[in-house]
Amino acid sequence: MSGEITLDMAAEKDALKVTRIIGKGKARLRLLQMGITPGTPIEVLRRAPLADPVEIAVRGAKLALRQAEAKNIAVVKEG
Amino acid sequence: MTKKSLSVDLVGNPNVGKSSLFNALTGAAQLIGNWCGKTTEACTTKVAYRGREISFTDLPGVYGFGHASRAETLVDKHLRADPPDVVLVIVDALNLERNLYLALEALERYGRVVVLLNKIDAAGEHGIVIDHARLAALLGIPVIPAVATGQLDAAALYEALFAVADREAAPAYTVPYPPAVEAAIAAAAAQSDRTGLARWRAVEAVEESDEELQVEIINARYAAAAALAARCLVHHPTESVTDKLDRWALHRIWGVPIMLVVFAALFYLTFSVSRPLSDLIGALFDWLTEASLTHLPAWGVPDLAVSLIAEGLLSGLGATLGFLPQIAMFFLVYHIIQDTGYIVRVAFLMDRVMTAIGLNGKIFIPLVAGYSCNVSGILASRILTSRYDRLVAVLASSYAPCSARLGVMVFMVSAFFPSGSATLVMLALLATSVAMMATVAFVARLVVTADDESSPFISEVPVYHLPDVKHLLLDTGARTLHFLKRIRNVIILSSIVVWYLSSFPAGPFENTYLARIGLALEPVGALFGLDWQLIVALIAGIPAKESALTTLGVIYQTTGDGGLANVLTSHISPLAAFTFLVVYMTYIPCLATVITIYQELRNWSVAIASVYGSILLSVLLGLLSYNIGKLFI
């Protein structure tokens, strides 16, 4: 998909949409079960002092995850 | 036909207030301090209701039943091995959509489900109002509202549980899956040699065999959850207090300084409240000791028994109980930072630093707590969900010089060093402690294989919430009493042992068994400049750290701190004193800590290994400190 980036590269406050989850097994299932599924709007709220972890907003909830985990979430800019 | 007894399993996302609820339902007294469900165990308690019995089982927090974490594997295995009559799904009203996902999955699997809509009070504060009657109607199962501290209409819940247990019919609601998924489900059901394979087992088979369809299934459940949430949310939230606070609390520049100020304030609070109470307890026991020494002989109690009671039991108990206020304050403070949701922010701020040595950001909490009291640090390690992280946190936090040790260190340092260099010496000791904790963490990382749970950090960032004061105080009181019960026997026993060793054979102190042990070890002590008196002080410090100082007072027969400082400085060189403190800071944490290590990990070999490891490390550091120091003096 054109314009697809992974979430660890995304700028803060951009309106994004999940396209797919990269990776396998437990790590992938964990992200899916927390509601990070294809088509879901997602936003990077802020990054920690050393740029890792990141805080994201998804499905009305806020989650903290590491850049290494954010790398597994492919997104596109919306609009 | 109404059942006489009912088994109910509690299922919910992490941090939905399941444990508070469990305690409220089953009577907190039995469970406080158990903190079960947080890690690996499931725990069960029975409740009597109108001549019938309900047994509740609390399970660890999960996001689904798909084995994405150890907790999920455990919950799924538990539910399969011992299917309950009813699954009680705890739903966080603050986060309806994601919590409904789990409720839908439970409903699909187990049919007999009751939803408990928790934290409706907190949700209300954030402008979220949920029409629970409508949710119940849409799902076709009872939905019972509750507030965050676990208060709810228990009778309504029990009635709902019995009603659902008696019901035969399938639930009214099923998740609509896309046609491709339905086809695969039908195919999976047909493939099974058993007729009438339950629908959920077919769904599960599809999920496990096809990643593409798995995404479709999860997406469909979430779409259903979102649609349900949209129909039941009466009012939508606006920009919250949490957003405003987090702009500062998680600020890239100010977040860490603010955190340090918060911790400093909490430490200050801990000490300013607990110190007067500790002094009071100390004074009470001093008075009791005095009183028994004066009055008991007059009542015809034999001298030996008087000595055992006054010098053994009372002084030993006094030394340990003096730390009870501090433990209580720890429980209070820990409860506050946990319940407000600040703990997650700390982990967020510190994670990158901690990952540098292979640890999780949350480990910062037990390590900091260890400086107040090692027992606190070990208990705080429970916030770590991975067994590996928890082990590292437990081992490392017992190397933080606790306030008992800090007290002795400050006394010795100010006695031996002029005020200018005293600060530097203290800082050097504290830096050593930080280096030790890092080393222990690093070594543990090499020795213990990290399980696959050690790395994921993904966690919710909950909204801030003011804890309920009454609940907070009751819980703190109960946890403190529970802690006291846990250590009581060992403290009494060790007080008697130390008393025996230091009183027999009768005569001058140099004759006692304790002194003889010290004298026997003197050749070893000489390697790092410790005389037998200091060795005896170290031994006496094993049950309770501050006893080291009181024992030195006994040996040198001094009264008051000033007297002891003078005697010590005339007997020992500053280098030997410094070396003593390095050893003192490192060797065996107090007995209460060792017991807590065992009780938290349920593993004697780790507890014993930690004792030997600390002795080894203290000898090494002592040798280094004394012999390097000698080169410069």
Side-chain angles (χ1 to χ4, degrees):
Chain A
M1 196 179 292
S2 71
E4 187 182 73
I5 53 167
T6 52
L7 195 67
D8 58 312
M9 309 293 287
E12 286 165 34
K13 309 285 174 193
D14 271 357
L16 306 163
K17 199 160 91 178
V18 178
T19 50
R20 64 202 169 90
I21 301 297
I22 305 161
K24 291 233 167 274
K26 290 186 174 193
R28 173 176 169 279
L29 182 58
R30 196 188 311 263
L31 294 173
L32 289 170
Q33 281 191 155
M34 291 187 91
I36 306 172
T37 59
T40 313
I42 195 167
E43 181 191 339
V44 173
L45 294 174
R46 56 170 65 80
R47 292 194 155 81
L50 296 171
D52 187 12
V54 291
E55 189 190 11
I56 62 166
V58 63
R59 294 189 186 269
K62 288 169 188 161
L63 302 175
L65 68 168
R66 291 200 181 123
Q67 287 284 72
E69 291 158 323
K71 227 174 226 154
N72 291 329
I73 303 168
V75 293
V76 286
K77 246 193 210 188
E78 276 213 293
Chain B
M1 171 66 205
T2 304
K3 292 192 174 190
K4 281 293 277 181
S5 68
L6 204 60
S7 60
V8 177
D9 284 4
L10 274 72
V11 171
N13 283 183
N15 305 314
V16 290
K18 217 152 39 67
S19 298
S20 303
L21 188 88
F22 188 54
N23 289 343
L25 282 177
T26 57
Q30 307 165 50
L31 286 150
I32 290 293
N34 229 344
W35 293 21
C36 59
K38 290 260 173 193
T39 48
T40 51
E41 328 99 282
C43 58
T44 302
T45 303
K46 292 188 165 74
V47 170
Y49 174 68
R50 293 197 171 172
R52 291 176 292 184
E53 190 181 72
I54 310 176
S55 77
F56 286 100
T57 302
D58 191 13
L59 294 170
V62 293
Y63 291 106
F65 299 102
H67 296 221
S69 67
R70 185 196 305 283
E72 285 173 18
T73 305
L74 182 110
V75 168
D76 188 46
K77 276 190 182 152
H78 180 90
L79 289 169
R80 275 171 209 262
D82 187 13
D85 296 316
V86 182
V87 174
L88 180 60
V89 182
I90 319 299
V91 165
D92 184 350
L94 283 160
N95 205 335
L96 191 59
E97 187 173 325
R98 213 213 20 256
N99 279 260
L100 276 179
Y101 173 88
L102 184 71
L104 290 179
E105 202 177 354
L107 194 58
E108 181 176 81
R109 290 177 159 236
Y110 302 105
R112 293 199 180 91
V113 170
V114 170
V115 165
L116 198 139
L117 189 61
N118 202 14
K119 304 191 192 177
I120 50 164
D121 51 341
E125 288 162 20
H126 290 87
I128 303 169
V129 180
I130 295 164
D131 184 347
H132 58 85
R134 186 158 197 201
L135 184 60
L138 289 169
L139 288 174
I141 53 173
V143 175
I144 311 286
V147 300
T149 47
Q151 283 141 13
L152 77 164
D153 185 349
L157 174 66
Y158 298 154
E159 292 295 344
L161 290 170
F162 277 107
V164 167
D166 289 340
R167 164 162 105 178
E168 293 296 332
Y173 188 87
T174 40
V175 176
Y177 290 117
V181 174
E182 288 292 355
I185 294 171
Q191 251 180 22
S192 164
D193 46 353
R194 285 174 301 157
T195 48
L197 177 71
R199 178 181 162 90
W200 73 268
R201 288 194 192 273
V203 175
E204 190 182 54
V206 174
E207 276 194 81
E208 280 168 5
S209 60
D210 189 324
E211 283 199 348
E212 300 261 311
L213 290 178
Q214 184 187 38
V215 172
E216 298 269 317
I217 289 171
I218 294 175
N219 229 344
R221 280 194 205 120
Y222 260 110
L228 286 167
R231 291 179 70 179
C232 302
L233 278 175
V234 177
H235 189 258
H236 286 280
T238 48
E239 208 224 9
S240 65
V241 181
T242 298
D243 293 333
K244 286 177 194 154
L245 284 175
D246 273 345
R247 215 165 287 154
W248 290 102
L250 296 180
H251 193 275
R252 288 189 72 165
I253 293 159
W254 296 111
V256 173
I258 289 171
M259 177 189 78
L260 294 177
V261 170
V262 169
F263 276 133
L266 290 175
F267 261 91
Y268 179 75
L269 178 78
T270 303
F271 290 120
S272 59
V273 174
S274 66
R275 182 144 307 153
L277 288 173
S278 295
D279 291 347
L280 202 67
I281 292 175
L284 177 71
F285 273 90
D286 285 349
W287 178 81
L288 279 173
T289 307
E290 277 308 303
S292 7
L293 283 174
T294 355
H295 296 296
L296 289 182
W299 296 341
V301 180
D303 283 354
L304 193 64
V306 173
S307 168
L308 172 65
I309 291 168
E311 281 144 1
L313 288 176
L314 288 176
S315 66
L317 281 176
T320 313
L321 293 187
F323 279 88
L324 219 50
Q326 211 163 323
I327 302 272
M329 281 307 289
F330 158 73
F331 282 131
L332 187 73
V333 163
Y334 182 81
H335 208 318
I336 291 172
I337 61 169
Q338 166 113 316
D339 283 13
T340 52
Y342 190 62
I343 212 161
V344 178
R345 274 80 183 176
V346 172
F348 184 78
L349 292 170
M350 295 310 295
D351 187 64
R352 188 64 193 85
V353 179
M354 292 296 158
T355 48
I357 48 169
L359 300 173
N360 187 301
K362 286 183 196 157
I363 207 170
F364 193 66
I365 307 278
L367 295 188
V368 169
Y371 278 86
S372 149
C373 171
N374 291 173
V375 170
S376 310
I378 291 162
L379 294 175
S381 306
R382 288 175 177 184
I383 55 160
L384 294 154
T385 45
S386 133
R387 243 191 333 211
Y388 162 78
D389 285 342
R390 217 172 136 203
L391 178 68
V392 174
V394 165
L395 293 179
S397 59
S398 63
Y399 286 94
C402 61
S403 57
R405 278 180 270 192
L406 286 171
V408 173
M409 284 156 67
V410 167
F411 169 78
M412 294 275 280
V413 168
S414 51
F416 279 92
F417 300 92
S419 56
S421 55
T423 313
L424 285 178
V425 172
M426 267 317 278
L427 285 176
L429 287 169
L430 289 175
T432 310
S433 77
V434 173
M436 273 189 310
M437 288 199 278
T439 311
V440 169
F442 186 75
V443 171
R445 191 186 169 203
L446 294 179
V447 175
V448 187
T449 340
D451 52 54
D452 58 345
E453 301 252 326
S454 57
S455 57
F457 178 75
I458 186 162
S459 61
E460 284 172 69
V461 184
V463 294
Y464 287 106
H465 177 66
L466 275 180
D468 178 82
V469 176
K470 187 181 146 216
H471 180 65
L472 198 67
L473 293 178
L474 282 176
D475 194 73
T476 301
R479 282 189 201 282
T480 309
L481 281 180
H482 183 85
F483 169 75
L484 186 61
K485 264 194 222 158
R486 277 166 64 156
I487 62 162
R488 179 187 53 195
N489 293 337
V490 182
I491 297 307
I492 291 177
L493 196 70
S494 68
S495 303
I496 295 174
V497 169
V498 170
W499 167 80
Y500 179 79
L501 291 177
S502 58
S503 313
F504 292 94
F509 190 84
E510 286 82 343
N511 273 345
T512 61
Y513 295 117
L514 193 58
R516 288 182 203 182
I517 296 172
L519 284 162
L521 288 172
E522 202 167 29
V524 183
L527 294 175
F528 32 109
L530 302 187
D531 56 14
W532 72 267
Q533 289 93 334
L534 289 179
I535 295 172
V536 166
L538 288 176
I539 296 170
I542 293 173
K545 288 286 135 185
E546 68 283 14
S547 303
L549 218 51
T550 41
T551 303
L552 283 176
V554 171
I555 296 173
Y556 290 117
Q557 304 200 318
T558 56
T559 47
D561 284 356
L564 184 57
N566 285 334
V567 175
L568 283 177
T569 44
S570 63
H571 276 79
I572 310 160
S573 72
L575 179 59
F578 181 80
T579 307
F580 169 78
L581 288 180
V582 169
V583 174
Y584 175 74
M585 202 169 67
T586 319
Y587 85 117
I588 315 178
C590 67
L591 268 190
T593 302
V594 178
I595 298 163
T596 312
I597 291 179
Y598 162 69
Q599 284 174 336
E600 289 302 295
L601 299 176
R602 292 276 149 208
N603 188 334
W604 271 121
S605 49
V606 174
I608 291 167
S610 79
V611 169
Y612 282 115
S614 69
I615 294 176
L616 192 72
L617 193 58
S618 69
V619 169
L620 273 173
L621 284 173
L623 284 174
L624 276 176
S625 144
Y626 187 65
N627 291 298
I628 294 176
K630 263 205 308 205
L631 298 177
F632 293 94
I633 292 170

